[in-house]
């Protein structure tokens, strides 16, 4: 059995917060018992049987953990009081054993827990009363031991009490520091998860006002939908692990590209990917940023696992954005621009980026388009749409190179 297992004796069934305190009780009990045994056997020819019995009882107090988390520390303090009182009555106040009453004040609070500060205060008050009464009723030296031995005992008692307090406080402080470090790591992990789930600004709002409804209208936002063409048919022939690896690889790459372009990923649903630009933080070039992202996604997709063909739809306009849910909450956007972008994707062509008239008009000065003609859009009727081809400056540079 290792040292940690010995220190943890009897504390296994308790929550960690209580177990830490009870481990400190074990350390205190065994150090105190060792100190008592040292005094009991310092005269081998004339041992003190009462102190030996008391040391045995003190060393056994961890057995009381099975009954209550209070039983062992309470018994430990009471045994210390009885032992100290008996020795003072026998030897006198000059022995220094009264220092145990002083030690009991901080130790009782540490061992019982701050939630039982009233009980710890009562024990400390009892120690004060005993010291005062004994100081007035018991002589400095009863003559039971020589004066030199009395001074030696005082020095030993002082040293042992100091060591006991130092050892217990050190253990408790180290345990508290470890618990604090673990809590800090857990906090950072939670913060990281929250930032992964929600946009940074929305996460801050949620932390500052957890009960508030987070909703806002954005007048100028661009929306992207991307979908893997023929994915349903392909998924039926894939093993589950290969399917998940495929989706994870594709969406992880899309996430990386979205971060590069400063675009906010909203969600994935099956093989569909949704992102917005201009929300929750407004930006004047929201459409340009989303168009650049779409072009990069279209270029990257064929190089990913299994050469994924994708359709992309883009639209722009006003939306409402906010956080929904209370446990598994998420940030989402709603509005006509969202519906149109979804239709641009669903009626699109694999390997191409279809855009709405408003989106094309907004960025036509910087990007090249190919007219597709009119298509039937659910809820909108016939709509003129375009395919996004690339940047004009890139096309001009290629023409010069040729």
């Amino acid at each position: 059995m290792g040292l940690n297992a010995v220190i943890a004796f009897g504390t296994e069934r308790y929550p960690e917060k209580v177990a830490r305190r009870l481990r400190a009780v074990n350390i205190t009990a065994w150090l105190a018992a060792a100190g008592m045994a040292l005094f009991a056997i310092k005269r081998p020819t004339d041992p003190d049987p009462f102190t030996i019995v008391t040391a045995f009882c003190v060393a056994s107090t961890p057995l009381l953990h099975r009954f209550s988390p209070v039983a062992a520390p309470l018994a430990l303090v009471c045994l210390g009081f009885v032992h100290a009182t008996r020795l003072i009555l026998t030897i006198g106040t000059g022995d220094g054993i009264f220092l145990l009453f002083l030690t009991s004040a901080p130790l009782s609070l540490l061992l019982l827990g701050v939630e039982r500060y009233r009980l710890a205060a009562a024990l400390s008050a009892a120690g004060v009363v005993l010291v005062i009464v004994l100081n007035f009723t018991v002589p400095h030296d009863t003559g039971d031991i020589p004066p030199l031995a009395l001074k030696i005992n005082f020095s030993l008692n002082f040293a042992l009490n100091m060591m006991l307090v130092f050892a217990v406080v050190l253990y408790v402080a180290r345990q508290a520091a470890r618990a604090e470090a673990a809590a800090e790591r857990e906090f950072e992990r939670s913060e990281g998860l929250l930032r992964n789930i929600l946009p940074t600004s929305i996460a801050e709002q949620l932390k500052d006002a957890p009960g508030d409804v987070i909703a806002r209208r954005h007048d100028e936002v661009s929306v992207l939908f991307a979908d893997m063409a023929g994915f349903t048919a392909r998924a039926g022939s894939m093993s589950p692990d290969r399917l998940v690896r495929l989706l994870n690889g594709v969406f992880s790459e899309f996430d990386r590209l979205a971060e590069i372009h400063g675009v906010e990923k909203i969600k994935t649903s099956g093989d569909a990917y949704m992102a917005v630009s201009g929300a929750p933080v407004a930006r004047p070039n929201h459409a340009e940023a989303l168009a650049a992202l779409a072009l990069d996604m279209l270029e990257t997709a064929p190089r990913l696992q299994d050469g994924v063909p994708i359709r992309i739809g883009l639209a722009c306009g006003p939306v409402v954005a906010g956080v929904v849910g209370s446990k598994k909450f998420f940030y989402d956007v709603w509005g006509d621009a969202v519906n149109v972008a979804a239709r641009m994707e669903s009626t699109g062509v694999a390997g191409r980026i279809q855009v709405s008239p408003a989106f094309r008009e907004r960025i036509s000065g910087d990007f090249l388009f190919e007219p597709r003609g009119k298509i039937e859009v659910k809820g909108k009727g016939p709509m003129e749409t375009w395919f996004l081809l690339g940047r004009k400056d890139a096309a001009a540079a290629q023409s010069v190179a040729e």
Side-chain angles (χ1 to χ4, degrees), residues 103-128:
T103 302
S104 67
L107 288 186
S108 61
L109 186 61
L110 288 174
L111 302 183
L112 288 167
V114 292
E115 64 274 13
R116 298 184 181 87
Y117 69 91
R118 290 187 179 88
L119 179 56
L123 291 172
S124 300
V128 171

Side-chain angles (χ1 to χ4, degrees), residues 39-83:
F39 274 95
I41 64 173
K42 66 180 180 179
R43 294 182 296 177
T45 58
D46 186 20
D48 181 0
F50 184 87
T51 301
I52 293 175
V53 171
T54 306
F56 177 79
C57 292
V58 168
S60 302
T61 52
L63 294 172
L64 298 176
H65 293 327
R66 68 180 66 182
F67 301 111
S68 165
V70 180
L74 189 59
L76 185 60
V77 173
C78 291
L79 281 170
F81 282 5
V82 171
H83 174 66

Side-chain angles (χ1 to χ4, degrees), residues 31 52 119 144 180 369 390:
L31 288 177
I52 293 175
L119 179 56
D144 188 66
E180 184 177 343
F369 295 91

Side-chain angles (χ1 to χ4, degrees), residues 26-43:
N26 292 351
I27 292 174
T28 305
W30 293 327
L31 288 177
M36 291 179 183
L38 176 64
F39 274 95
I41 64 173
K42 66 180 180 179
R43 294 182 296 177

Side-chain angles (χ1 to χ4, degrees), residues 197-199 201-202 216 218 220-226 254-255 257-268 273-283 285-291 293-294 297 312-322 331-339 341-342 359:
I197 294 172
L198 300 173
S201 61
I202 299 299
R216 183 182 173 187
H218 300 271
E220 291 290 338
V221 170
S222 294
V223 184
L224 173 149
F225 276 90
F254 288 175
D255 288 348
L257 294 174
E259 186 173 0
I260 289 174
H261 291 283
V263 171
E264 193 67 49
K265 170 190 174 180
I266 298 299
K267 60 185 174 183
T268 61
Y273 187 93
M274 178 185 178
V276 300
S277 178
V281 179
R283 57 187 299 183
N285 64 335
H286 58 85
E288 290 85 350
L290 204 64
L293 170 63
M297 290 169 66
I312 299 177
L314 302 177
C316 62
V319 300
V320 173
Y331 180 75
D332 206 352
V333 294
W334 306 269
D336 187 62
V338 177
N339 296 330
F359 191 91

Side-chain angles (χ1 to χ4, degrees), residues 43-286:
R43 294 182 296 177
T45 58
D46 186 20
D48 181 0
F50 184 87
T51 301
I52 293 175
V53 171
T54 306
F56 177 79
C57 292
V58 168
S60 302
T61 52
L63 294 172
L64 298 176
H65 293 327
R66 68 180 66 182
F67 301 111
S68 165
V70 180
L74 189 59
L76 185 60
V77 173
C78 291
L79 281 170
F81 282 5
V82 171
H83 174 66
T85 302
R86 181 257 174 185
L87 286 180
I88 289 173
L89 291 174
T90 304
I91 300 172
T93 59
D95 185 66
I97 193 65
F98 69 86
L99 292 170
L100 184 61
F101 293 107
L102 180 63
T103 302
S104 67
L107 288 186
S108 61
L109 186 61
L110 288 174
L111 302 183
L112 288 167
V114 292
E115 64 274 13
R116 298 184 181 87
Y117 69 91
R118 290 187 179 88
L119 179 56
L123 291 172
S124 300
V128 171
V129 171
L130 281 171
V131 168
I132 293 173
V133 171
L134 292 170
N135 188 59
F136 278 96
T137 58
V138 179
H140 180 77
D141 181 3
T142 62
D144 188 66
I145 60 174
L148 179 59
L150 197 67
K151 292 181 179 181
I152 293 174
N153 282 357
F154 181 90
S155 300
L156 287 174
N157 275 311
F158 185 85
L160 288 172
N161 275 273
M162 289 289 289
M163 290 172 58
L164 179 61
V165 172
F166 180 82
V168 174
V169 171
L170 174 63
Y171 177 80
V172 172
R174 291 183 65 183
Q175 291 293 305
R178 289 174 182 171
E180 184 177 343
E184 186 68 25
R185 289 193 298 270
E186 187 62 28
F187 175 78
E188 290 297 328
R189 178 175 175 274
S190 300
E191 287 284 293
L193 289 173
L194 188 62
R195 286 191 294 269
N196 284 336
I197 294 172
L198 300 173
T200 302
S201 61
I202 299 299
E204 293 300 323
Q205 281 184 257
L206 192 64
K207 288 190 295 181
D208 293 339
D212 289 357
V213 175
I214 298 178
R216 183 182 173 187
R217 178 180 175 82
H218 300 271
D219 293 328
E220 291 290 338
V221 170
S222 294
V223 184
L224 173 149
F225 276 90
D227 185 83
M228 301 180 197
F231 178 80
T232 302
R234 297 173 65 191
S237 61
M238 288 185 179
S239 63
D241 58 337
R242 184 183 174 192
L243 177 63
V244 172
R245 283 199 301 270
L246 170 62
L247 289 173
N248 182 63
V250 172
F251 290 153
S252 295
E253 181 62 18
F254 288 175
D255 288 348
R256 186 186 70 83
L257 294 174
E259 186 173 0
I260 289 174
H261 291 283
V263 171
E264 193 67 49
K265 170 190 174 180
I266 298 299
K267 60 185 174 183
T268 61
S269 178
D271 61 321
Y273 187 93
M274 178 185 178
V276 300
S277 178
V281 179
R283 57 187 299 183
N285 64 335
H286 58 85

